[in-house]
Every structure is written in C-alpha cells, then in structure tokens.
Amino acid sequence: MTAREALAEAERRFAAAGLETPRVDAEWLVAHRLGTTRSGLAARLDDEIDGLEPLLARRERREPLAYVLGEWGFRRLTLKTDARALVPRPETETLVERALALASEFERPRILDVGVGSGAIALALKDERPDAQVTGVDVSPDALALARENAERLGLEVELRQGEGAAVAAEGWDVVVANPPYVESLEDIQRELRWEPDVALLGRGEHARLARAANARFVAFEVGDGQAGDVAATLVRLGCADVAITADLTGRDRVVEGRLP
C-alpha cells in the first residue's frame, strides 16, 4: 500500500469512528510511520508503507493521538507521552506564558509546578528561564517517572518530588503554578479523555485549596471552561492583589493569577 492509499483509508476509517479531525489524524499517523513530518508528507505519498494498522486501530478506539504517536509538542519541546500522565495541551501553554511573566520580577526565581504530570510545564519553564529553580510535585509515581524520562531526554534539570501539592506549596516559593483537576464527572467528556489518568482529571475545589495553602508571591492556575470567574473571586476573597484572567488562543478564559498577601 502506498502512503496515498493509506492516507485515504485512514481518513475513511477515522471519519466512520466519529473523530473530529479524521484527515489531520490520518496525516499525523502516516507521516509518523514514514518517519517524516506532516509538512513533509506530500513528497512521500507514493512511498510504500507498512506497519500502520496497529496505530490506526488504537486511534479508532479513541486512544489520544499523542499516546498513539508516543510524543507530543509543547512550546519548544517534544515530550514523551503515554497513559501515565495527561496529554500536554495547547491551552496550557498560556499558563507557562503567564508564569514566565510573573517570574520576570525575580532573579533565579523559585517556581513550583503542582501536578507535574509529564513535566510539560516545569520543563518548558526551565527551558525558557534557565536560571529558574524549578520543582515539580505529583502524587503519582507513574507520572513522576514519565517526567524524569522527559527531563533526561531533554537535558533539563528540574527537581521532581512525590508528595501532596498543597503541603509542598506551603514551603515558600516565588511563583506557584498548577493545572489542577477540574473535571467533575467523566460522563459528559469526550471519549479520548477517558484514556487519561483519573487522578489528574477528576476533582473540584483544588484551586482554592492550593491558593489557601501556598506560601508564595504569586499563584497562577489553569481553569476549566466557565470556571475563571469563580476562581478569580476566590483569590480576591483570600486577599490577593492584581487578580487577572488570561484567555487562551481560542479566546476561552484559561488562566487565573494573583499576588498573594
């Protein structure tokens, strides 16, 4: 089978499976199997391709594309991705941008990433602010193992600790960032999310709990759709100054930040 034929077949199957972007997903997987990029695929359409079927079957079952590929881009980094941690998402890049802006007030800022997962946030911060002392904490030993693998692959030195986020946040930092669990039920979410670890998805009230516990100059949190106003109001009630909401690239309110009293 040529890559052109494989692309058409993959797109047909993905559309039948109900994927939102069947053509794009097909291009990613065919390019991956050929060892090229999506942009380089056009020059390889007449190449023979094999070994694609297991990847197609996994994506048909709605396993996240990032898990099927085994890696995913986040800001300037390419991270190893698997079911030990959430898939790094474009909207979370907004949290990194705001954390870097807040950290700009400090020399050698001490930054804590609560719920480090794959290491995406912590490693992006270290990559773009090399003088920062970045620590990531997570309750999941599996997620921490993945974060360590990514740190080693990228040659970035961050401290990774297993523990409860609020307790570590109380130790004293310049900036505390977090993308805490904010999904209340798996019933209404897209099927792909059901492949991702529940401990990183399901929860409520974590933003307030972290804000109360944090001993830091600044906090910055990623929030779910429709949650920014409530989280911002919580920070105001806790006495935070300079409370602000930042939208992601899709225009959705995504990051809430504040200066702790």
Side-chain angles (χ1 to χ4, degrees), residues 138-256:
D138 207 296
V139 296
S140 167
D142 290 337
L144 285 168
L146 179 58
R148 288 191 182 96
E149 290 169 25
N150 277 319
E152 290 171 3
R153 291 175 69 195
L154 295 166
L156 294 170
E157 292 188 12
V158 298
E159 180 189 18
L160 296 169
R161 295 164 55 180
Q162 185 173 1
E164 203 279 322
V168 179
E171 294 178 7
W173 308 88
D174 295 316
V175 182
V176 171
V177 301
N179 178 14
Y182 51 69
V183 175
E184 295 188 12
S185 170
L186 293 180
E187 294 300 318
D188 300 322
I189 65 173
Q190 57 182 284
R191 288 173 58 187
E192 279 83 352
L193 279 175
R194 299 176 189 181
W195 291 83
E196 301 186 57
D198 289 356
V199 68
L201 284 171
L202 293 173
R204 59 182 301 174
E206 289 300 305
H207 302 88
R209 194 163 72 91
L210 281 172
R212 290 190 186 97
N215 176 14
R217 294 287 298 280
F218 293 101
V219 292
F221 301 130
E222 180 172 329
V223 299
D225 291 349
Q227 296 178 346
D230 288 342
V231 174
T234 296
L235 294 187
V236 171
R237 285 196 299 272
L238 292 173
C240 291
D242 303 327
V243 175
I245 297 172
T246 303
D248 62 23
L249 292 177
T250 70
R252 294 180 172 88
D253 289 340
R254 187 61 62 197
V255 175
V256 180

Side-chain angles (χ1 to χ4, degrees), residues 28 37 42 69 75 86 109 113 118 120 154 171 186 192 195 247 255:
W28 271 109
T37 62
L69 293 171
R75 290 184 72 85
L86 294 182
D113 174 20
S118 67
L154 295 166
E171 294 178 7
L186 293 180
E192 279 83 352
W195 291 83
V255 175

Side-chain angles (χ1 to χ4, degrees), residues 110-125:
R110 299 184 68 242
I111 307 174
L112 174 67
D113 174 20
V114 177
V116 71
S118 67
I121 295 169
L123 293 169
L125 290 170

Side-chain angles (χ1 to χ4, degrees), residues 74-77 79 96 100 119-129 134 154 156 158:
F74 185 81
R75 290 184 72 85
R76 306 191 308 197
L77 308 177
L79 299 160
V96 174
L100 289 169
I121 295 169
L123 293 169
L125 290 170
K126 184 64 176 178
D127 176 57
E128 296 177 47
R129 185 69 194 270
V134 181
L154 295 166
L156 294 170
V158 298

Side-chain angles (χ1 to χ4, degrees), residues 51-105:
L52 187 63
E53 176 57 34
L55 304 182
L56 299 185
R58 290 173 64 186
R59 188 65 185 116
E60 276 184 309
R61 293 195 297 269
R62 306 297 286 269
E63 186 175 352
L65 180 62
Y67 289 172
V68 180
L69 293 171
E71 63 181 25
W72 201 246
F74 185 81
R75 290 184 72 85
R76 306 191 308 197
L77 308 177
T78 298
L79 299 160
K80 180 179 180 180
T81 48
D82 59 38
R84 289 177 288 178
L86 294 182
V87 173
R89 288 173 166 79
E91 55 265 33
T92 303
E93 297 190 13
T94 304
L95 179 59
V96 174
E97 290 175 6
R98 292 311 309 151
L100 289 169
L102 296 173
S104 67
E105 289 194 12

